[in-house]
Amino acid sequence: ITRVTGLMKLLTCLFAELKDAERAAAVAKELPSWIENLFTFALIWSVAGIIDGASRPKFDAFLRQVGQGKPPRGYETVDGQFGELQRGELAWIKWLPDTEGVTCFEYTFLQTKHTWVLWTDTIAKEDTRIAPTAEFSQIIVPTLDTARYMFLLNTLLMHSKPCLFVGPTGTGKTVYVQKLLLALPAKEWASIFI
């Protein structure tokens, strides 16, 4: 139930863009596929976001099979029926790029462009510059992981959803959170570090 709750919280944050009438009108023609893409993204980062690196390619293969209407052996029925896609139906996973050696965890869905791109393609050039006065312990080198975690943290935080980063010591969790919190407008946010 916790994973489903997480899925719905993330999906709610991603759908918030539709509250803007102008943006909602802009995606109206593509709304069904836009929703499917956002659901796929939320599914990946809520239900499967906690799995370890070795299990990610396995989940990627599973997700792609289910999304194509061809579940792996043993998953053919759910509540009595799963079945193959009916003639004329489209696979709901068709938009997620299928690049050899690249899993679903390495892509993000850009709502503004209605397309899937690599997380590394979302890193801005200004984020790669290190200030000459920066302390060594506060330097964040933009990577696939920093792009993912900063997006997820920002998305959840901007919609007042709780978020907890877990992982081994020294992987940058505290630095990611501090960087984002210190960049928030002081008139609306107050940061307290213990």
Side-chain angles (χ1 to χ4, degrees), residues 1-19:
I1 291 182
T2 304
R3 296 294 93 217
V4 175
T5 302
L7 168 72
M8 296 312 297
K9 285 181 181 181
L10 183 54
L11 204 51
T12 299
C13 295
L14 297 171
F15 285 167
E17 192 172 330
L18 292 176
K19 290 180 181 176

Side-chain angles (χ1 to χ4, degrees), residues 143-188:
T143 64
L144 171 69
D145 288 332
T146 60
R148 292 192 284 217
Y149 303 143
M150 293 300 281
F151 173 82
L152 292 168
L153 178 61
N154 187 54
T155 300
L156 293 167
L157 187 62
M158 291 299 116
H159 295 92
S160 302
K161 304 294 182 197
C163 182
L164 175 66
F165 281 165
V166 296
T169 303
T171 56
K173 299 176 300 294
T174 302
V175 178
Y176 298 155
V177 173
Q178 286 178 343
K179 179 182 177 183
L180 183 69
L181 293 178
L182 292 173
L184 295 172
K187 289 182 180 181
E188 300 171 32

Side-chain angles (χ1 to χ4, degrees), residues 88-163:
E89 288 185 283
L90 297 173
W92 58 265
I93 200 77
K94 70 179 182 292
W95 296 281
L96 187 61
D98 192 11
T99 306
E100 183 77 27
V102 181
T103 69
C104 60
F105 296 94
E106 295 167 62
Y107 288 100
T108 183
F109 180 69
L110 282 184
Q111 295 180 38
T112 54
K113 296 184 180 180
H114 195 259
T115 188
W116 288 87
V117 297
L118 291 168
W119 279 107
T120 52
D121 293 342
T122 66
I123 299 171
K125 281 201 178 215
E126 57 269 7
D127 290 340
T128 62
R129 294 190 187 101
I130 299 171
T133 59
E135 292 183 39
F136 183 75
S137 63
Q138 297 301 310
I139 295 173
I140 299 178
V141 178
T143 64
L144 171 69
D145 288 332
T146 60
R148 292 192 284 217
Y149 303 143
M150 293 300 281
F151 173 82
L152 292 168
L153 178 61
N154 187 54
T155 300
L156 293 167
L157 187 62
M158 291 299 116
H159 295 92
S160 302
K161 304 294 182 197
C163 182

